[in-house]
PDB file of all heavy atoms in Angstrom:
ATOM      1  N   ARG A 447      37.446  45.184 -11.489  1.00  0.00           N
ATOM      2  CA  ARG A 447      38.013  44.227 -12.451  1.00  0.00           C
ATOM      3  C   ARG A 447      37.093  44.136 -13.665  1.00  0.00           C
ATOM      4  O   ARG A 447      35.890  43.918 -13.514  1.00  0.00           O
ATOM      5  CB  ARG A 447      38.127  42.862 -11.776  1.00  0.00           C
ATOM      6  CG  ARG A 447      39.221  41.998 -12.358  1.00  0.00           C
ATOM      7  CD  ARG A 447      39.342  40.694 -11.595  1.00  0.00           C
ATOM      8  NE  ARG A 447      39.985  40.811 -10.304  1.00  0.00           N
ATOM      9  CZ  ARG A 447      39.940  39.869  -9.358  1.00  0.00           C
ATOM     10  NH1 ARG A 447      39.292  38.757  -9.562  1.00  0.00           N
ATOM     11  NH2 ARG A 447      40.546  40.067  -8.197  1.00  0.00           N
ATOM     12  N   PRO A 455      26.031  36.250 -15.305  1.00  0.00           N
ATOM     13  CA  PRO A 455      25.944  35.966 -16.739  1.00  0.00           C
ATOM     14  C   PRO A 455      26.725  36.975 -17.589  1.00  0.00           C
ATOM     15  O   PRO A 455      26.855  38.141 -17.224  1.00  0.00           O
ATOM     16  CB  PRO A 455      24.441  36.090 -17.025  1.00  0.00           C
ATOM     17  CG  PRO A 455      23.909  36.946 -15.935  1.00  0.00           C
ATOM     18  CD  PRO A 455      24.778  36.730 -14.731  1.00  0.00           C
ATOM     19  N   GLY A 456      27.238  36.503 -18.729  1.00  0.00           N
ATOM     20  CA  GLY A 456      27.875  37.380 -19.707  1.00  0.00           C
ATOM     21  C   GLY A 456      29.197  37.959 -19.222  1.00  0.00           C
ATOM     22  O   GLY A 456      29.785  37.510 -18.242  1.00  0.00           O
ATOM     23  N   GLN A 479      38.908  42.895   3.829  1.00  0.00           N
ATOM     24  CA  GLN A 479      38.178  42.686   5.091  1.00  0.00           C
ATOM     25  C   GLN A 479      38.030  43.962   5.931  1.00  0.00           C
ATOM     26  O   GLN A 479      36.981  44.229   6.488  1.00  0.00           O
ATOM     27  CB  GLN A 479      38.871  41.591   5.913  1.00  0.00           C
ATOM     28  CG  GLN A 479      38.720  40.209   5.291  1.00  0.00           C
ATOM     29  CD  GLN A 479      39.441  39.133   6.090  1.00  0.00           C
ATOM     30  OE1 GLN A 479      40.084  39.402   7.105  1.00  0.00           O
ATOM     31  NE2 GLN A 479      39.345  37.907   5.622  1.00  0.00           N
ATOM     32  N   GLU A 490      53.697  43.065  -8.343  1.00  0.00           N
ATOM     33  CA  GLU A 490      53.356  43.409  -9.727  1.00  0.00           C
ATOM     34  C   GLU A 490      54.461  42.949 -10.654  1.00  0.00           C
ATOM     35  O   GLU A 490      55.592  42.710 -10.228  1.00  0.00           O
ATOM     36  CB  GLU A 490      53.135  44.906  -9.859  1.00  0.00           C
ATOM     37  CG  GLU A 490      51.947  45.352  -9.041  1.00  0.00           C
ATOM     38  CD  GLU A 490      51.353  46.668  -9.475  1.00  0.00           C
ATOM     39  OE1 GLU A 490      51.955  47.337 -10.323  1.00  0.00           O
ATOM     40  OE2 GLU A 490      50.294  47.016  -8.931  1.00  0.00           O
ATOM     41  N   SER A 510      28.300  58.473  -8.580  1.00  0.00           N
ATOM     42  CA  SER A 510      28.231  58.952  -9.976  1.00  0.00           C
ATOM     43  C   SER A 510      29.555  58.718 -10.702  1.00  0.00           C
ATOM     44  O   SER A 510      29.573  58.350 -11.871  1.00  0.00           O
ATOM     45  CB  SER A 510      27.780  60.409 -10.052  1.00  0.00           C
ATOM     46  OG  SER A 510      28.741  61.209  -9.460  1.00  0.00           O
ATOM     47  N   MET A 513      29.621  55.093 -11.541  1.00  0.00           N
ATOM     48  CA  MET A 513      28.711  54.806 -12.672  1.00  0.00           C
ATOM     49  C   MET A 513      29.386  55.146 -14.000  1.00  0.00           C
ATOM     50  O   MET A 513      29.290  54.381 -14.971  1.00  0.00           O
ATOM     51  CB  MET A 513      27.426  55.642 -12.496  1.00  0.00           C
ATOM     52  CG  MET A 513      26.300  55.204 -13.394  1.00  0.00           C
ATOM     53  SD  MET A 513      25.713  53.549 -12.960  1.00  0.00           S
ATOM     54  CE  MET A 513      25.973  52.694 -14.493  1.00  0.00           C
ATOM     55  N   LEU A 517      30.019  52.461 -16.974  1.00  0.00           N
ATOM     56  CA  LEU A 517      29.422  52.668 -18.312  1.00  0.00           C
ATOM     57  C   LEU A 517      30.450  52.532 -19.442  1.00  0.00           C
ATOM     58  O   LEU A 517      30.072  52.303 -20.588  1.00  0.00           O
ATOM     59  CB  LEU A 517      28.740  54.042 -18.376  1.00  0.00           C
ATOM     60  CG  LEU A 517      27.400  54.111 -17.656  1.00  0.00           C
ATOM     61  CD1 LEU A 517      26.909  55.556 -17.601  1.00  0.00           C
ATOM     62  CD2 LEU A 517      26.353  53.229 -18.327  1.00  0.00           C
ATOM     63  N   TYR A 583      25.199  33.985  -3.764  1.00  0.00           N
ATOM     64  CA  TYR A 583      25.045  33.889  -2.313  1.00  0.00           C
ATOM     65  C   TYR A 583      25.981  32.802  -1.777  1.00  0.00           C
ATOM     66  O   TYR A 583      25.844  31.629  -2.126  1.00  0.00           O
ATOM     67  CB  TYR A 583      23.592  33.545  -2.006  1.00  0.00           C
ATOM     68  CG  TYR A 583      23.108  33.943  -0.641  1.00  0.00           C
ATOM     69  CD1 TYR A 583      22.378  35.116  -0.461  1.00  0.00           C
ATOM     70  CD2 TYR A 583      23.347  33.146   0.481  1.00  0.00           C
ATOM     71  CE1 TYR A 583      21.918  35.485   0.789  1.00  0.00           C
ATOM     72  CE2 TYR A 583      22.888  33.515   1.737  1.00  0.00           C
ATOM     73  CZ  TYR A 583      22.171  34.687   1.878  1.00  0.00           C
ATOM     74  OH  TYR A 583      21.700  35.062   3.121  1.00  0.00           O
ATOM     75  N   LEU A 585      27.518  30.167   0.600  1.00  0.00           N
ATOM     76  CA  LEU A 585      27.098  29.271   1.680  1.00  0.00           C
ATOM     77  C   LEU A 585      28.325  28.465   2.063  1.00  0.00           C
ATOM     78  O   LEU A 585      28.823  27.674   1.264  1.00  0.00           O
ATOM     79  CB  LEU A 585      25.987  28.354   1.144  1.00  0.00           C
ATOM     80  CG  LEU A 585      24.973  27.838   2.119  1.00  0.00           C
ATOM     81  CD1 LEU A 585      24.360  28.946   2.944  1.00  0.00           C
ATOM     82  CD2 LEU A 585      23.891  27.091   1.366  1.00  0.00           C
ATOM     83  N   LYS A 591      28.055  25.828  14.729  1.00  0.00           N
ATOM     84  CA  LYS A 591      29.289  25.919  15.556  1.00  0.00           C
ATOM     85  C   LYS A 591      30.522  25.982  14.663  1.00  0.00           C
ATOM     86  O   LYS A 591      31.469  26.729  14.918  1.00  0.00           O
ATOM     87  CB  LYS A 591      29.385  24.705  16.482  1.00  0.00           C
ATOM     88  CG  LYS A 591      28.520  24.844  17.703  1.00  0.00           C
ATOM     89  CD  LYS A 591      28.931  23.834  18.747  1.00  0.00           C
ATOM     90  CE  LYS A 591      27.914  23.864  19.870  1.00  0.00           C
ATOM     91  NZ  LYS A 591      27.427  22.559  20.263  1.00  0.00           N
ATOM     92  N   SER A 600      27.946  33.513  13.370  1.00  0.00           N
ATOM     93  CA  SER A 600      26.918  32.468  13.258  1.00  0.00           C
ATOM     94  C   SER A 600      26.312  32.488  11.848  1.00  0.00           C
ATOM     95  O   SER A 600      26.283  33.524  11.184  1.00  0.00           O
ATOM     96  CB  SER A 600      25.820  32.764  14.279  1.00  0.00           C
ATOM     97  OG  SER A 600      24.638  32.057  13.951  1.00  0.00           O
ATOM     98  N   LEU A 608      18.670  33.951   3.370  1.00  0.00           N
ATOM     99  CA  LEU A 608      18.567  33.138   2.143  1.00  0.00           C
ATOM    100  C   LEU A 608      17.117  32.684   1.943  1.00  0.00           C
ATOM    101  O   LEU A 608      16.572  32.798   0.832  1.00  0.00           O
ATOM    102  CB  LEU A 608      19.510  31.923   2.237  1.00  0.00           C
ATOM    103  CG  LEU A 608      19.419  30.947   1.064  1.00  0.00           C
ATOM    104  CD1 LEU A 608      19.839  31.608  -0.250  1.00  0.00           C
ATOM    105  CD2 LEU A 608      20.281  29.707   1.318  1.00  0.00           C
ATOM    106  N   LEU A 620      23.900  29.887  -5.720  1.00  0.00           N
ATOM    107  CA  LEU A 620      24.671  29.619  -4.497  1.00  0.00           C
ATOM    108  C   LEU A 620      26.131  29.389  -4.844  1.00  0.00           C
ATOM    109  O   LEU A 620      26.433  28.824  -5.897  1.00  0.00           O
ATOM    110  CB  LEU A 620      24.136  28.359  -3.814  1.00  0.00           C
ATOM    111  CG  LEU A 620      22.865  28.449  -2.997  1.00  0.00           C
ATOM    112  CD1 LEU A 620      22.609  27.115  -2.313  1.00  0.00           C
ATOM    113  CD2 LEU A 620      22.923  29.561  -1.959  1.00  0.00           C
ATOM    114  N   PRO A 626      39.052  21.397   2.043  1.00  0.00           N
ATOM    115  CA  PRO A 626      39.348  20.055   2.568  1.00  0.00           C
ATOM    116  C   PRO A 626      39.520  20.048   4.088  1.00  0.00           C
ATOM    117  O   PRO A 626      40.214  20.901   4.647  1.00  0.00           O
ATOM    118  CB  PRO A 626      40.659  19.684   1.856  1.00  0.00           C
ATOM    119  CG  PRO A 626      40.655  20.511   0.612  1.00  0.00           C
ATOM    120  CD  PRO A 626      39.961  21.794   0.964  1.00  0.00           C
ATOM    121  N   ASN A 629      34.823  21.603   5.380  1.00  0.00           N
ATOM    122  CA  ASN A 629      33.397  21.447   5.042  1.00  0.00           C
ATOM    123  C   ASN A 629      33.143  20.377   3.981  1.00  0.00           C
ATOM    124  O   ASN A 629      32.095  20.385   3.346  1.00  0.00           O
ATOM    125  CB  ASN A 629      32.778  22.790   4.618  1.00  0.00           C
ATOM    126  CG  ASN A 629      33.359  23.316   3.319  1.00  0.00           C
ATOM    127  OD1 ASN A 629      34.277  22.730   2.757  1.00  0.00           O
ATOM    128  ND2 ASN A 629      32.821  24.420   2.847  1.00  0.00           N
ATOM    129  N   ILE A 652      24.204  25.851  -8.146  1.00  0.00           N
ATOM    130  CA  ILE A 652      25.203  25.960  -7.079  1.00  0.00           C
ATOM    131  C   ILE A 652      26.590  25.759  -7.703  1.00  0.00           C
ATOM    132  O   ILE A 652      26.797  24.816  -8.462  1.00  0.00           O
ATOM    133  CB  ILE A 652      24.957  24.982  -5.903  1.00  0.00           C
ATOM    134  CG1 ILE A 652      26.074  25.131  -4.850  1.00  0.00           C
ATOM    135  CG2 ILE A 652      24.856  23.529  -6.346  1.00  0.00           C
ATOM    136  CD1 ILE A 652      25.759  24.462  -3.516  1.00  0.00           C
ATOM    137  N   LEU A 655      33.252  25.614  -5.391  1.00  0.00           N
ATOM    138  CA  LEU A 655      34.513  26.329  -5.637  1.00  0.00           C
ATOM    139  C   LEU A 655      35.655  25.613  -4.913  1.00  0.00           C
ATOM    140  O   LEU A 655      35.731  25.669  -3.670  1.00  0.00           O
ATOM    141  CB  LEU A 655      34.399  27.770  -5.134  1.00  0.00           C
ATOM    142  CG  LEU A 655      33.143  28.533  -5.608  1.00  0.00           C
ATOM    143  CD1 LEU A 655      33.032  29.879  -4.906  1.00  0.00           C
ATOM    144  CD2 LEU A 655      33.194  28.735  -7.125  1.00  0.00           C
ATOM    145  N   LYS A 664      49.576  36.994   0.100  1.00  0.00           N
ATOM    146  CA  LYS A 664      48.944  38.208   0.638  1.00  0.00           C
ATOM    147  C   LYS A 664      49.005  38.182   2.166  1.00  0.00           C
ATOM    148  O   LYS A 664      49.271  39.187   2.810  1.00  0.00           O
ATOM    149  CB  LYS A 664      47.476  38.307   0.206  1.00  0.00           C
ATOM    150  CG  LYS A 664      47.248  38.526  -1.269  1.00  0.00           C
ATOM    151  CD  LYS A 664      45.756  38.764  -1.503  1.00  0.00           C
ATOM    152  CE  LYS A 664      45.378  38.794  -2.965  1.00  0.00           C
ATOM    153  NZ  LYS A 664      43.927  38.927  -3.153  1.00  0.00           N
ATOM    154  N   LYS A 667      52.660  38.776   3.360  1.00  0.00           N
ATOM    155  CA  LYS A 667      53.118  40.163   3.227  1.00  0.00           C
ATOM    156  C   LYS A 667      52.427  41.087   4.221  1.00  0.00           C
ATOM    157  O   LYS A 667      53.003  42.058   4.681  1.00  0.00           O
ATOM    158  CB  LYS A 667      52.880  40.637   1.789  1.00  0.00           C
ATOM    159  CG  LYS A 667      54.026  40.223   0.886  1.00  0.00           C
ATOM    160  CD  LYS A 667      53.879  40.787  -0.467  1.00  0.00           C
ATOM    161  CE  LYS A 667      53.397  39.734  -1.404  1.00  0.00           C
ATOM    162  NZ  LYS A 667      52.918  40.215  -2.657  1.00  0.00           N
ATOM    163  N   LEU A 674      45.517  28.181   7.160  1.00  0.00           N
ATOM    164  CA  LEU A 674      45.530  27.087   6.185  1.00  0.00           C
ATOM    165  C   LEU A 674      46.858  27.048   5.420  1.00  0.00           C
ATOM    166  O   LEU A 674      46.911  26.566   4.291  1.00  0.00           O
ATOM    167  CB  LEU A 674      44.345  27.247   5.211  1.00  0.00           C
ATOM    168  CG  LEU A 674      42.969  27.307   5.869  1.00  0.00           C
ATOM    169  CD1 LEU A 674      41.875  27.415   4.826  1.00  0.00           C
ATOM    170  CD2 LEU A 674      42.724  26.076   6.738  1.00  0.00           C
ATOM    171  N   LEU A 680      42.890  22.091  -3.944  1.00  0.00           N
ATOM    172  CA  LEU A 680      41.999  20.959  -4.209  1.00  0.00           C
ATOM    173  C   LEU A 680      41.746  20.891  -5.724  1.00  0.00           C
ATOM    174  O   LEU A 680      41.190  21.843  -6.296  1.00  0.00           O
ATOM    175  CB  LEU A 680      40.672  21.191  -3.464  1.00  0.00           C
ATOM    176  CG  LEU A 680      39.586  20.139  -3.614  1.00  0.00           C
ATOM    177  CD1 LEU A 680      40.023  18.801  -3.033  1.00  0.00           C
ATOM    178  CD2 LEU A 680      38.301  20.604  -2.902  1.00  0.00           C
ATOM    179  N   VAL A 697      19.085  20.421  -8.385  1.00  0.00           N
ATOM    180  CA  VAL A 697      19.736  21.732  -8.582  1.00  0.00           C
ATOM    181  C   VAL A 697      20.948  21.516  -9.496  1.00  0.00           C
ATOM    182  O   VAL A 697      21.690  20.547  -9.344  1.00  0.00           O
ATOM    183  CB  VAL A 697      20.197  22.327  -7.225  1.00  0.00           C
ATOM    184  CG1 VAL A 697      20.986  23.619  -7.441  1.00  0.00           C
ATOM    185  CG2 VAL A 697      18.993  22.596  -6.334  1.00  0.00           C
ATOM    186  N   LYS A 698      21.118  22.435 -10.467  1.00  0.00           N
ATOM    187  CA  LYS A 698      22.267  22.342 -11.365  1.00  0.00           C
ATOM    188  C   LYS A 698      23.553  22.627 -10.582  1.00  0.00           C
ATOM    189  O   LYS A 698      23.612  23.612  -9.823  1.00  0.00           O
ATOM    190  CB  LYS A 698      22.088  23.365 -12.491  1.00  0.00           C
ATOM    191  CG  LYS A 698      23.159  23.306 -13.537  1.00  0.00           C
ATOM    192  CD  LYS A 698      22.842  24.277 -14.643  1.00  0.00           C
ATOM    193  CE  LYS A 698      24.009  24.354 -15.596  1.00  0.00           C
ATOM    194  NZ  LYS A 698      23.883  25.425 -16.553  1.00  0.00           N
ATOM    195  N   ILE A 700      27.684  23.317 -10.788  1.00  0.00           N
ATOM    196  CA  ILE A 700      28.822  23.672 -11.636  1.00  0.00           C
ATOM    197  C   ILE A 700      30.075  23.659 -10.766  1.00  0.00           C
ATOM    198  O   ILE A 700      30.080  24.246  -9.670  1.00  0.00           O
ATOM    199  CB  ILE A 700      28.648  25.077 -12.269  1.00  0.00           C
ATOM    200  CG1 ILE A 700      27.440  25.067 -13.223  1.00  0.00           C
ATOM    201  CG2 ILE A 700      29.908  25.515 -13.009  1.00  0.00           C
ATOM    202  CD1 ILE A 700      27.097  26.433 -13.779  1.00  0.00           C
TER     203      ILE A 700
END
Side-chain angles (χ1 to χ4, degrees):
R447 207 177 285 165
Q479 290 178 359
E490 296 201 351
S510 65
M513 194 66 238
L517 284 172
Y583 204 99
L585 209 51
K591 280 196 188 131
S600 162
L608 176 63
L620 282 185
N629 66 356
I652 178 166
L655 310 172
K664 293 187 188 176
K667 276 186 257 166
L674 303 182
L680 179 64
V697 175
K698 184 176 172 190
I700 295 174

